[in-house]
C-alpha cells in the first residue's frame, strides 16, 4: 500500500544540511498496524507528515496505493484525504466552534456525502463509540479521552483505508490511553484499516503488529510483533 | 455546507464578541456615513431628471470676454428671445422665462386684501410648459398662458390663495397694485430637486418690457430655453448660433465680445459660472470631494477589519490545518472566511441603515431643508447598499481569507504559524494609512475652523453693529415719502442714525461697470458703483482720508472713492485724485473725497475699486442704526411706522451682521461636515487601534509574564507594548503633513483674506493623535501588564 524509497529530508541552513530523515526505505502493506518509535527529535513526526503528504521529502519517492505521490498538486492530495486517509492528532484538534456531531460531519461534507447517508454514518459512529449523549456538546465540554474518541470518529467518518495517528494518547491518562489503543486494535483487526501511529510508549507499540525504530533520522530496526 | 458555514461563522463571531463588536461598530458607522454621502450625491445628480426630452433642452447663456476679465450670465438680452427663434435653425420650440418679484394679493368681494404676499413670479411663454412637459392639474395646456393678464399657479400656490386647486381656475389675483391676473391653469408642484422653483407663472404677454431692444442689457432673471428638433445636439446648431452671435452682437458693436452659448439642461445644476432660479448649484468638484471622503471612510473601516482579522488569524490556524487534512480545498476555506466577513458586513449594513435614517433629519437641517433625501427614495439606493456590502465584504475579507487559507497544514496544526515576524508588515502599513487619513482630516478641520473664526473676527473697515437694513419701496410715488419716513424714524427713541442706500457696505448686490477715468477709457477693471446718501459714511463709520463727503443731493454730483480705486488707477497720493473725473454713467463726475478701504465683498474676494455717490433712484434700503440698549423696542417701532407709511407693501428687515455671515453658509456647512467626518474617521481608527492593541496584548501575555518574572516594572511593560503603536502614529503624522498642507493651502486660496498656515494645526493634530493613541493603547496594555503572572505561565 505504501512504498517509501530512499526518502531523505533535510533543511539547508547556511550551506549546512541538517538531516531529519536519511535513506528511509520501507513498505507498509494493507491491514498492517505499524508503530513508529524513537527518541525525541528522531524524525518520527516528520516521517508521519511525509506519509500524510503534509510535508514533501527532499529526495526519494513515495508511492501510495501504487501511485507516485512524492509531489502532488493540491486537488489530487485533497482527493486522497477525502477518500483514503484519516488523521488523529495528539492534541485532538477538534474544531472548537463545532459540536461533536458537526465535527464528525465535516469530512463527510467535504466528501459531498448525501445528507441521509451522512446522518446514518454519524449515528453509527456515535453509537459505536458510546458518545451519543455528547453529540451536541462542544469540544471544550469533553474530557481529553472523549475528545480523542471524537477525533477518531471523525477520522473514521470518511471510511478511510489508512489512519495516521501522531501520538494519539500523548495527552491522555493511562486508562483512557488503553481504551484508545484497544479501539485502534479493534479497527485494525475487524475493519482491516491500516494504522500507522507514532508513539513513545513501548506498551502502546505492543498493540500493533510491527514496530519501526527510528533514531537520528535513520530506521534502526523493523520488528514484527 | 453553506448553512454550516453560516453557523460556524456565527459561533466564531460570538466567541470573539469584542472584536466582532469593534468590527461591526466601525463598519456600520463608516457605512452609514457613506450611505448619507451617497444619498446626498444622488439627490444632487437627480436635479431636473426625468423631463421627457431632457437631452434636447438647452439654456441660452451669455458670456463676455473683456481684456482683463471674463464675465458670465445665466440670462439673455430681451431682444435675443424673439430673434433667436427666427434666426437659429433647428429649434423646435423656444420659450423665455423672466423672473421678477412683486406683491401678489387676493381680494374679497369688497376689494379688501385677504392675502398679501411678496412673491417671486415668472413671466413665461406658453411653450415653456411643453418644452418641460409640465403636468397640468386643471386647464388646457396649450392655451393656458396665451393671453395677456393670465396666470398659472402651482398646486401649492393655488391652495394657499384659494383653498383648493380647482377653485382657483377663473379667479383673479392682483399683481402689484393694479394688474389684475386671471388664473387660467393649475400645474403640479415642481419637485424639490428642480432648478425651477416655479409657483406663479404669468403670461409673457403681460411682461411690460417685452419689446425692449437693448442688446447689451442682460438682467440676471431673464432666462431663455430651447428645445432642439428631434435628433439634433448642441453642436449641430453651432454654425447657426455663431451667425446669430455675429449678426446681433459683433455687427451691432456690443461691448465685451458678448455672445450667447447653449448649456444643456442637466448641466445647469452643476454650473460654476451660471446661476439659476433655485440658487442651489453645486460644483462637480464638491461632489467628487464628498465621494473621496466617502471612500476614505470606507477604507478606514475596512482597514480595521483587515487588521483585526489577520491579527486573529493565528487563532484560526489550527482550524485551517485540521480542515485541510479533512479534505477541504483552499477555495472552500476562502468561501468560509468570506461568509464570515459577509455576515459581519451585512449586520453592519443593517445598523448603518438605522444610523443613516436617524441622521437624515440632522442632515436636512444642516442644509436648511433645501434637500429631501430618504433611504427609500429610489431603487438605486438599494443597489448601492448591495454594492457597498459586496465591495466592503470583498475588500475587507479577501486578504485575510487568502492569508488564512494559505497556511501549511503541518505547521498550522502545530501552531507554529508566525505572522509578520518583524519587518514592514502589511498590518503596520495599513495602520499608517488609516491614521494618515485621520490626521489629514484633523488638520483640515482645525484650519477650516480657524479660517471661519478669522472671517468672523476680521475688522471689515466699517461698523455694522446694531444696524438693521429695512427694505423701502422706491417707485416714483413712494419715493416722495422717503424724506418723511426718515424724519419720523429719527424721532423714535433708540434710533440713532438713518441713511438711504442701495445696500450695506459689504454686499454682492452692487453692480459694476466699465468707465473712463479723466477722459481715458479704462480697460483693467470695472468699478463698483455704490449709491448712498450723505449720512451713510457716519452711520457705518467710514473714514475719510482726503477731500470731503458729498452734501445732500438727489443725484450724483461728486464721487467718494476708496483707496483701492486709487491704487488701481495708479494714484499714490489721495489728494491728487480730488477733482479728477470718472465717467461710468455717461456723465463726467469729479472725485471729491477718498475714504479708507473697507471690505465691500465677502472675504473670499479682494476689495474692489469703488465709487460712492448719491442716487435717489437706487435707494432700495434704509440703514438704521439703533441704540444697543433699545434694539428690541425700537425695531418694533420702526416696523409700525413703516407699515403705516407703506400700507400696500410688505415689511422686510435684517441685521447687517447677520446677512454678512450668511455669505459664508457653504463654508460653514463644509466646516461642520469636516468636523463630523473627521470625528467619525478618528473614532473608527481608534477603536481599530484598541482592537489591535488588545490582540497584541493577548499575543504577548506569555512574554509579558516572563519579563515580569525577570523583574520588569509595570511602566516598563506598558512602554514596551505601546512603543510600536506610537511609532506608527508618528509616521502617519509625517505622511499626512505634506498632503494636508497641499489640501488646506488649496482651500485657503479660495479666500482673498486668509490665515497664514502655521505649524500649529499640524503640531496640534500630532499632539491630539499621539495623546489619544497613548490613552487608547495604554488602557489595554496596562491591563496586560498587571495581569496575574501565574495564569499566563501555567500552561505548557
Amino acid at each position: 500500500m505504501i512504498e517509501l524509497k530512499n526518502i531523505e529530508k533535510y533543511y539547508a541552513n547556511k550551506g549546512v544540511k541538517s538531516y531529519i530523515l536519511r535513506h528511509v526505505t520501507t513498505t507498509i502493506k494493507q491491514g498492517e498496524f505499524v508503530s513508529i518509535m524513537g527518541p525525541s527529535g528522531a524524525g518520527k513526526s516528520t516521517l508521519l507528515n511525509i506519509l500524510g503528504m503534509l510535508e514533501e521529502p527532499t529526495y526519494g519517492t513515495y508511492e501510495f496505493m501504487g501511485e507516485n505521490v512524492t509531489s502532488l498538486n493540491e486537488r489530487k492530495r485533497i482527493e486522497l484525504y477525502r477518500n483514503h486517509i484519516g488523521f488523529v492528532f495528539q492534541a485532538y484538534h477538534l474544531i472548537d466552534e463545532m459540536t461533536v456531531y458537526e465535527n464528525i460531519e465535516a469530512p463527510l461534507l467535504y466528501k459531498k456525502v448525501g445528507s441521509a447517508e451522512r446522518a446514518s454514518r454519524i449515528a453509527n459512529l456515535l453509537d459505536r463509540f458510546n458518545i451519543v449523549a455528547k453529540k451536541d456538546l462542544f469540544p471544550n465540554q469533553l474530557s481529553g479521552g472523549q475528545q480523542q474518541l471524537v477525533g477518531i470518529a471523525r477520522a473514521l467518518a470518511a471510511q478511510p483505508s489508512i489512519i495516521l495517528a501522531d501520538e494519539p494518547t500523548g495527552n491522555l491518562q493511562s486508562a483512557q490511553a488503553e481504551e484508545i489503543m484497544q479501539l485502534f486494535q479493534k479497527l485494525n483487526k475487524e475493519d482491516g484499516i491500516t494504522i500507522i501511529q507514532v508513539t513513545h510508549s513501548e506498551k502502546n507499540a505492543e498493540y500493533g503488529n510491527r514496530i519501526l525504530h527510528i533514531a537520528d533520522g535513520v530506521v534502526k530496526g523493523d520488528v514484527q510483533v | 455546507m453553506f448553512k454550516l458555514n453560516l453557523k460556524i461563522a456565527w459561533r466564531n463571531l460570538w466567541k470573539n464578541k469584542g472584536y466582532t463588536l469593534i468590527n461591526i461598530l466601525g463598519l456600520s458607522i463608516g457605512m452609514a456615513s457613506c450611505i448619507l454621502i451617497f444619498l446626498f450625491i444622488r439627490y444632487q445628480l437627480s436635479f431636473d431628471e426625468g423631463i421627457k426630452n431632457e437631452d434636447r433642452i438647452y439654456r441660452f447663456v451669455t458670456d463676455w470676454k473683456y481684456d482683463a476679465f471674463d464675465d458670465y450670465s445665466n440670462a439673455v438680452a430681451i431682444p435675443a428671445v424673439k430673434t433667436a427663434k427666427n434666426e437659429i435653425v433647428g429649434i423646435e420650440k423656444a420659450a423665455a422665462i423672466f423672473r421678477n418679484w412683486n406683491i401678489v394679493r387676493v381680494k374679497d368681494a369688497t376689494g379688501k386684501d385677504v392675502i398679501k404676499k411678496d412673491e417671486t413670479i415668472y413671466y413665461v411663454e406658453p411653450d415653456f410648459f411643453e418644452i418641460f412637459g409640465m403636468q397640468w392639474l386643471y386647464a388646457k395646456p396649450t392655451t393656458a398662458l396665451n393671453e395677456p393678464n393670465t396666470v398659472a399657479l402651482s398646486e401649492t400656490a393655488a391652495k394657499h390663495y384659494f383653498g383648493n386647486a380647482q377653485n382657483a381656475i377663473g379667479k383673479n389675483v392682483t399683481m402689484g397694485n393694479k394688474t389684475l391676473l386671471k388664473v387660467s391653469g393649475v400645474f403640479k408642484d415642481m419637485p424639490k430637486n428642480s432648478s425651477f422653483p416655479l409657483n406663479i407663472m404669468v403670461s409673457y404677454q403681460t411682461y411690460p418690457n417685452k419689446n425692449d431692444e437693448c442688446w447689451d442689457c442682460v438682467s440676471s432673471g431673464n432666462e431663455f430655453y430651447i428645445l432642439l428638433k428631434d435628433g439634433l445636439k448642441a453642436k449641430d446648431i453651432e454654425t447657426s448660433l455663431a451667425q446669430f452671435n455675429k449678426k446681433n452682437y459683433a455687427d451691432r458693436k456690443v461691448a465685451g465680445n458678448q455672445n450667447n452659448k447653449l448649456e444643456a439642461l442637466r448641466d445647469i445644476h452643476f454650473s460654476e459660472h451660471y446661476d439659476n432660479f433655485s440658487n442651489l448649484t453645486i460644483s462637480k468638484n464638491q461632489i467628487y470631494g464628498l465621494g473621496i471622503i466617502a471612500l476614505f471612510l470606507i477604507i478606514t473601516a475596512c482597514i480595521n477589519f483587515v487588521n483585526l482579522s489577520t491579527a486573529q488569524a493565528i487563532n484560526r490556524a489550527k482550524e485551517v490545518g485540521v480542515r485541510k487534512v479533512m479534505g477541504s480545498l483552499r477555495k472552500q476555506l476562502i468561501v468560509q472566511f468570506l461568509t464570515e466577513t459577509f455576515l459581519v458586513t451585512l449586520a453592519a449594513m443593517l445598523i448603518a441603515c438605522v444610523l443613516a435614517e436617524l441622521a437624515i433629519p440632522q442632515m436636512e437641517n444642516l442644509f436648511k431643508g433645501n434637500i429631501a433625501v430618504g433611504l427609500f427614495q429610489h431603487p438605486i439606493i438599494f443597489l448601492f447598499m448591495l454594492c457597498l456590502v459586496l465591495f466592503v465584504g470583498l475588500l475587507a475579507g479577501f486578504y485575510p481569507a487568502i492569508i488564512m487559507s494559505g497556511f501549511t497544514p503541518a505547521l498550522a496544526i502545530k501552531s507554529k504559524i508566525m505572522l509578520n515576524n518583524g519587518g514592514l508588515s502589511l498590518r503596520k502599513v495599513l495602520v499608517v494609512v488609516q491614521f494618515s487619513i485621520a490626521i489629514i482630516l484633523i488638520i483640515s478641520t482645525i484650519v477650516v475652523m480657524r479660517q471661519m473664526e478669522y472671517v468672523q473676527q476680521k475688522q471689515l473697515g466699517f461698523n455694522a453693529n446694531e444696524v438693521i437694513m429695512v427694505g423701502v419701496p422706491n417707485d416714483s410715488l413712494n419715493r416722495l415719502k422717503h424724506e418723511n419716513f426718515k424724519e419720523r424714524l429719527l424721532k423714535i427713541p433708540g434710533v440713532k442714525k438713518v441713511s438711504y442706500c442701495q445696500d450695506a457696505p459689504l454686499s454682492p448686490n452692487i453692480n459694476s461697470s466699465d468707465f473712463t477715468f479723466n477722459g481715458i477709457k479704462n480697460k483693467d477693471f470695472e468699478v463698483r458703483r455704490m449709491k448712498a446718501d450723505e449720512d451713510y459714511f457716519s452711520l457705518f463709520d467710514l473714514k475719510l482720508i482726503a477731500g470731503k463727503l458729498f452734501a445732500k443731493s438727489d443725484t450724483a454730483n461728486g464721487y467718494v472713492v476708496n483707496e483701492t480705486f486709487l491704487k488701481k488707477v495708479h494714484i499714490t497720493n489721495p489728494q491728487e485724485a480730488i477733482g479728477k473725473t470718472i465717467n461710468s454713467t455717461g456723465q463726467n463726475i469729479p472725485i471729491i473725497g477718498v475714504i479708507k478701504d473697507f471690505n465691500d465683498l465677502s472675504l473670499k474676494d479682494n476689495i474692489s475699486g469703488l465709487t460712492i455717490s448719491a442716487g435717489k433712484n437706487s435707494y432700495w434700503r434704509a440703514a438704521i442704526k439703533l441704540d444697543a440698549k433699545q434694539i428690541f423696542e425700537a425695531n418694533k417701532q420702526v416696523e409700525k411706522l413703516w407699515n403705516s407709511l407703506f400700507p400696500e407693501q410688505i415689511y422686510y428687515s435684517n441685521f447687517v451682521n447677520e446677512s454678512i455671515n450668511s455669505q459664508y453658509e457653504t463654508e460653514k456647512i463644509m466646516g461642520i461636515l469636516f468636523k463630523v467626518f473627521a470625528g467619525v474617521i478618528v473614532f473608527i481608527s481608534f477603536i481599530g487601534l484598541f482592537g489591535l492593541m488588545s490582540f497584541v496584548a493577548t499575543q504577548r501575555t506569555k512574554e509579558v509574564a516572563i519579563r515580569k518574572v525577570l523583574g520588569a516594572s509595570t511602566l516598563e511593560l506598558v512602554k514596551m507594548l505601546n512603543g510600536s503603536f506610537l511609532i506608527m502614529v508618528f509616521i502617519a503624522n509625517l505622511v499626512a503633513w505634506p498632503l494636508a498642507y497641499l489640501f488646506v493651502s488649496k482651500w485657503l486660496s479660495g479666500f482673498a483674506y486668509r490665515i497664514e498656515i502655521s505649524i500649529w494645526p499640524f503640531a496640534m493634530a500630532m499632539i491630539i493623535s499621539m495623546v489619544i493613541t497613548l490613552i487608547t493603547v495604554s488602557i489595554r496594555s496596562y491591563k496586560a501588564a498587571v495581569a496575574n503572572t501565574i495564569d499566563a505561565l501555567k500552561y505548557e
Side-chain angles (χ1 to χ4, degrees):
Chain A
M1 181 172 201
I2 287 174
E3 278 221 53
L4 297 177
K5 274 186 205 143
N6 221 358
I7 294 289
E8 306 224 327
K9 178 88 184 174
Y10 58 80
Y11 295 104
N13 192 7
K14 291 173 186 158
V16 182
K17 291 175 182 175
S18 49
Y19 279 93
I20 314 279
L21 290 175
R22 296 203 80 163
H23 309 299
V24 176
T25 304
T26 188
T27 307
I28 296 168
K29 287 193 280 295
Q30 178 96 42
E32 277 191 295
F33 184 166
V34 183
S35 304
I36 302 172
M37 291 193 68
S40 293
K44 306 182 301 279
S45 291
T46 308
L47 181 59
L48 196 74
N49 280 348
I50 290 175
L51 288 171
M53 291 163 246
L54 294 171
E55 279 179 60
E56 278 180 23
T58 329
Y59 183 80
T61 52
Y62 171 18
E63 277 183 24
F64 184 84
M65 298 176 79
E67 192 183 353
N68 187 346
V69 294
T70 318
S71 62
L72 216 54
N73 68 23
E74 192 200 359
R75 187 164 286 279
K76 282 214 174 117
R77 197 176 69 234
I78 280 170
E79 212 46 50
L80 288 177
Y81 289 162
R82 285 180 182 175
N83 296 314
H84 297 293
I85 306 176
F87 287 88
V88 175
F89 305 97
Q90 176 177 6
Y92 334 124
H93 289 328
L94 301 176
I95 296 177
D96 297 336
E97 286 74 33
M98 289 179 167
T99 61
V100 167
Y101 187 95
E102 286 161 351
N103 261 296
I104 301 174
E105 190 183 26
L108 297 176
L109 286 167
Y110 287 124
K111 204 179 167 181
K112 300 207 167 57
V113 176
S115 69
E117 163 91 23
R118 228 159 49 217
S120 80
R121 277 204 212 176
I122 298 164
N124 202 4
L125 284 166
L126 290 170
D127 201 25
R128 191 162 156 194
F129 292 174
N130 268 330
I131 43 177
V132 180
K134 310 265 184 325
K135 74 180 170 64
D136 290 324
L137 297 181
F138 287 93
N140 55 14
Q141 294 166 309
L142 301 177
S143 75
Q146 285 166 337
Q147 286 193 49
Q148 194 56 297
L149 279 179
V150 177
I152 296 169
R154 182 177 67 182
L156 288 174
Q159 296 176 337
S161 42
I162 181 167
I163 284 183
L164 302 174
D166 192 353
E167 301 206 30
T169 60
N171 285 9
L172 299 179
Q173 291 159 2
S174 57
Q176 289 173 321
E178 205 165 310
E179 197 185 331
I180 297 289
M181 289 323 295
Q182 275 163 5
L183 179 61
F184 270 169
Q185 200 168 36
K186 204 168 140 210
L187 287 171
N188 178 248
K189 289 208 168 115
E190 290 173 14
D191 301 335
I193 297 173
T194 314
I195 294 174
I196 303 176
Q197 69 162 341
V198 165
T199 181
H200 267 120
S201 129
E202 289 282 350
K203 198 178 151 210
N204 288 345
E206 301 290 322
Y207 284 92
N209 47 30
R210 180 178 167 194
I211 299 174
L212 282 176
H213 285 283
I214 297 187
D216 298 331
V218 182
V219 178
K220 299 273 182 175
D222 187 345
V223 191
Q224 294 288 334
V225 179
Chain B
M1 193 72 185
F2 178 70
K3 225 174 93 190
L4 186 72
N5 270 347
L6 219 58
K7 204 151 77 179
I8 301 305
W10 171 252
R11 288 186 195 147
N12 246 315
L13 296 174
W14 188 248
K15 191 172 128 199
N16 302 310
K17 282 190 270 301
Y19 298 116
T20 307
L21 187 74
I22 288 176
N23 267 333
I24 292 187
L25 201 65
L27 269 184
S28 57
I29 293 174
M31 281 173 144
S33 315
C34 266
I35 291 173
L36 288 177
I37 292 177
F38 177 79
L39 287 179
F40 180 76
I41 292 179
R42 194 208 72 85
Y43 177 75
Q44 295 297 342
L45 293 178
S46 76
F47 262 71
D48 305 320
E49 76 180 350
I51 292 170
K52 199 172 146 214
N53 296 316
E54 61 179 28
D55 51 337
R56 286 195 283 140
I57 300 175
Y58 292 87
R59 172 168 78 168
F60 262 66
V61 294
T62 308
D63 290 3
W64 290 268
K65 261 192 184 329
Y66 289 96
D67 291 342
F69 67 99
D70 297 342
D71 201 2
Y72 308 91
S73 170
N74 59 322
V76 293
I78 294 170
V81 170
K82 246 186 311 186
T83 322
K85 283 182 208 168
N86 297 332
E87 292 184 1
I88 296 178
V89 189
I91 295 182
E92 185 174 314
K93 287 199 168 77
I97 173 165
F98 291 178
R99 180 177 57 187
N100 216 324
W101 289 273
N102 217 326
I103 292 172
V104 171
R105 322 154 193 271
V106 175
K107 299 190 177 189
D108 62 9
T110 61
K112 247 186 76 187
D113 288 348
V114 184
I115 295 173
K116 185 172 93 171
K117 210 174 163 210
D118 218 347
E119 293 271 21
T120 310
I121 57 163
Y122 296 89
Y123 293 102
V124 282
E125 292 184 293
D127 275 353
F128 184 86
F129 296 99
E130 285 181 46
I131 294 175
F132 284 86
M134 285 172 67
Q135 292 181 27
W136 290 97
L137 294 176
Y138 307 100
K140 287 207 191 83
T142 44
T143 57
L145 290 183
N146 278 353
E147 288 161 37
N149 299 326
T150 49
V151 61
L153 301 177
S154 70
E155 198 183 351
T156 309
K159 274 186 187 150
H160 179 253
Y161 287 121
F162 301 104
N164 83 47
Q166 203 162 8
N167 267 351
I169 300 288
K171 295 262 174 59
N172 284 325
V173 295
T174 313
M175 180 172 70
N177 287 334
K178 45 189 185 297
T179 316
L180 217 56
L181 302 173
K182 198 170 124 190
V183 179
S184 63
V186 176
F187 55 89
K188 227 173 126 189
D189 282 346
M190 301 302 284
K192 254 188 169 178
N193 54 347
S194 163
S195 304
F196 304 93
L198 310 174
N199 271 317
I200 299 172
M201 301 172 80
V202 180
S203 69
Y204 187 68
Q205 298 189 40
T206 322
Y207 185 58
N209 305 326
K210 58 180 176 293
N211 293 323
D212 190 289
E213 282 300 331
C214 174
W215 281 90
D216 49 5
C217 309
V218 177
S219 155
S220 66
N222 298 354
E223 294 198 350
F224 180 48
Y225 289 87
I226 59 168
L227 174 70
L228 295 183
K229 288 208 172 108
D230 210 356
L232 292 186
K233 291 256 165 251
K235 64 175 188 310
D236 297 321
I237 66 159
E238 244 168 33
T239 32
S240 184
L241 184 65
Q243 262 173 5
F244 168 84
N245 280 330
K246 182 179 176 301
K247 188 173 156 206
N248 294 303
Y249 298 113
D251 294 356
R252 277 177 221 265
K253 304 216 169 356
V254 174
N257 297 318
Q258 183 174 338
N259 69 77
N260 287 131
K261 275 198 184 126
L262 294 184
E263 184 183 36
L265 174 69
R266 292 299 295 274
D267 292 340
I268 290 177
H269 186 60
F270 310 103
S271 211
E272 292 189 37
H273 295 314
Y274 309 108
D275 211 353
N276 65 48
F277 292 145
S278 66
N279 289 326
L280 292 176
T281 51
I282 183 167
S283 73
K284 282 259 160 88
N285 281 340
Q286 278 168 303
I287 288 183
Y288 296 144
L290 277 173
I292 288 171
I293 288 190
L295 202 65
F296 274 2
L297 279 163
I298 238 19
I299 287 175
T300 315
C302 285
I303 287 177
N304 272 359
F305 202 110
V306 172
N307 277 343
L308 289 179
S309 314
T310 49
Q312 273 181 281
I314 296 171
N315 295 344
R316 306 290 299 271
K318 188 186 90 183
E319 184 189 338
V320 170
V322 174
R323 278 177 183 275
K324 278 196 167 178
V325 300
M326 283 194 307
S328 167
L329 285 169
R330 185 168 186 192
K331 212 167 61 190
Q332 288 170 311
L333 284 169
I334 293 179
V335 170
Q336 192 205 327
F337 288 124
L338 280 179
T339 312
E340 236 166 84
T341 316
F342 275 108
L343 203 65
V344 172
T345 318
L346 217 58
M349 177 50 90
L350 292 180
I351 297 175
C353 285
V354 175
L355 292 178
E357 192 65 44
L358 290 176
I360 283 174
Q362 267 76 2
M363 180 160 108
E364 288 182 334
N365 232 344
L366 180 63
F367 290 94
K368 305 250 170 349
N370 277 331
I371 60 169
V373 293
L375 288 178
F376 307 101
Q377 220 167 28
H378 199 278
I380 200 162
I381 294 167
F382 289 100
L383 193 69
F384 171 76
M385 290 181 186
L386 197 71
C387 289
L388 193 63
V389 169
L390 287 177
F391 177 75
V392 170
L394 286 177
L395 195 69
F398 210 69
Y399 176 74
I402 293 285
I403 292 285
M404 288 198 262
S405 64
F407 292 152
T408 332
L411 295 178
I413 289 171
K414 294 204 165 145
S415 300
K416 278 186 184 160
I417 294 286
M418 289 295 285
L419 273 178
N420 318 322
N421 25 4
L424 192 70
S425 74
L426 181 86
R427 213 171 333 137
K428 285 181 184 157
V429 174
L430 287 180
V431 170
V432 170
V433 169
Q434 198 179 27
F435 274 84
S436 303
I437 294 175
I439 290 158
I440 291 174
L441 276 164
I442 294 177
I443 294 173
S444 311
T445 310
I446 295 175
V447 172
V448 170
M449 274 158 53
R450 287 216 169 170
Q451 171 67 16
M452 291 321 290
E453 231 168 73
Y454 170 80
V455 159
Q456 240 131 61
Q457 284 168 2
K458 162 114 178 36
Q459 296 296 321
L460 296 173
F462 60 88
N463 180 0
N465 294 337
E466 296 105 35
V467 178
I468 56 169
M469 297 299 276
V470 175
V472 287
N474 193 7
D475 50 290
S476 50
L477 229 95
N478 280 316
R479 208 177 294 145
L480 299 176
K481 298 184 193 164
H482 282 191
E483 214 37 48
N484 180 302
F485 180 51
K486 189 170 177 174
E487 273 166 29
R488 287 167 70 178
L489 272 176
L490 286 167
K491 284 188 193 132
I492 295 174
V495 171
K496 285 167 137 179
K497 279 173 186 150
V498 179
S499 160
Y500 284 112
C501 56
Q502 207 171 356
D503 209 341
L506 191 159
S507 157
N509 304 328
I510 307 279
N511 51 11
S512 55
S513 157
D514 50 350
F515 65 100
T516 42
F517 180 65
N518 249 358
I520 300 160
K521 181 91 187 162
N522 186 294
K523 288 190 171 167
D524 297 335
F525 69 102
E526 287 195 329
V527 65
R528 294 186 90 213
R529 303 179 301 191
M530 200 180 269
K531 298 282 173 17
D533 71 8
E534 65 286 355
D535 294 325
Y536 195 70
F537 303 94
S538 62
L539 191 144
F540 283 108
D541 219 358
L542 305 176
K543 303 266 185 317
L544 187 76
I545 52 175
K548 59 178 173 44
L549 299 172
F550 47 81
K552 195 173 158 87
S553 157
D554 285 349
T555 51
N557 49 21
Y559 283 132
V560 172
V561 300
N562 65 355
E563 292 170 298
T564 304
F565 180 86
L566 297 190
K567 230 175 283 159
K568 285 189 169 178
V569 296
H570 314 297
I571 293 178
T572 41
N573 181 359
Q575 293 297 342
E576 267 175 48
I578 308 297
K580 300 231 161 68
T581 60
I582 297 174
N583 181 346
S584 65
T585 51
Q587 253 182 306
N588 277 319
I589 296 171
I591 296 175
I592 55 168
V594 179
I595 50 168
K596 248 179 113 60
D597 269 341
F598 60 89
N599 287 95
D600 64 328
L601 285 166
S602 88
L603 296 179
K604 282 178 258 180
D605 299 303
N606 282 307
I607 295 172
S608 45
L610 190 72
T611 63
I612 304 177
S613 65
K616 205 173 179 182
N617 293 355
S618 302
Y619 295 162
W620 296 102
R621 299 259 197 298
I624 304 173
K625 175 113 182 165
L626 302 174
D627 186 347
K629 289 183 202 111
Q630 304 178 55
I631 289 183
F632 188 68
E633 196 45 40
N635 210 346
K636 269 209 291 207
Q637 293 286 326
V638 170
E639 181 170 356
K640 214 169 122 197
L641 173 66
W642 194 98
N643 279 328
S644 69
L645 264 178
F646 308 106
E648 303 288 289
Q649 309 289 333
I650 292 164
Y651 179 76
Y652 172 81
S653 80
N654 65 310
F655 280 92
V656 174
N657 283 342
E658 274 169 25
S659 64
I660 289 176
N661 281 337
S662 72
Q663 300 207 14
Y664 307 109
E665 208 51 58
T666 336
E667 283 73 20
K668 244 187 243 163
I669 289 175
M670 188 163 156
I672 293 170
L673 288 182
F674 261 105
K675 259 190 254 176
V676 171
F677 289 133
V680 168
I681 285 190
V682 168
F683 179 72
I684 293 175
S685 307
F686 281 104
I687 58 170
L689 196 64
F690 183 78
L692 211 53
M693 185 66 214
S694 320
F695 182 77
V696 169
T698 324
Q699 279 283 294
R700 295 173 77 173
T701 315
K702 200 169 145 200
E703 184 196 337
V704 168
I706 293 169
R707 281 173 189 273
K708 252 174 116 169
V709 172
L710 296 177
S713 73
T714 306
L715 186 65
E716 280 164 332
L717 290 171
V718 170
K719 258 198 259 177
M720 175 193 84
L721 289 170
N722 287 354
S724 66
F725 286 96
L726 286 173
I727 290 171
M728 279 192 267
V729 175
F730 181 77
I731 295 172
N733 268 291
L734 297 186
V735 173
W737 282 16
L739 295 172
Y741 179 81
L742 284 180
F743 172 76
V744 295
S745 55
K746 179 104 203 323
W747 183 77
L748 281 175
S749 68
F751 285 86
Y753 295 87
R754 54 183 179 249
I755 51 170
E756 289 292 318
I757 302 179
S758 67
I759 184 80
W760 283 112
F762 298 86
M764 222 146 100
M766 179 183 262
I767 293 168
I768 291 173
S769 57
M770 297 293 260
V771 166
I772 305 184
T773 306
L774 196 64
I775 294 170
T776 314
V777 296
S778 296
I779 295 172
R780 196 57 190 79
S781 58
Y782 178 74
K783 213 174 128 198
V786 297
N788 193 344
T789 325
I790 300 306
D791 286 341
L793 292 179
K794 187 158 68 179
Y795 299 104
E796 299 178 50

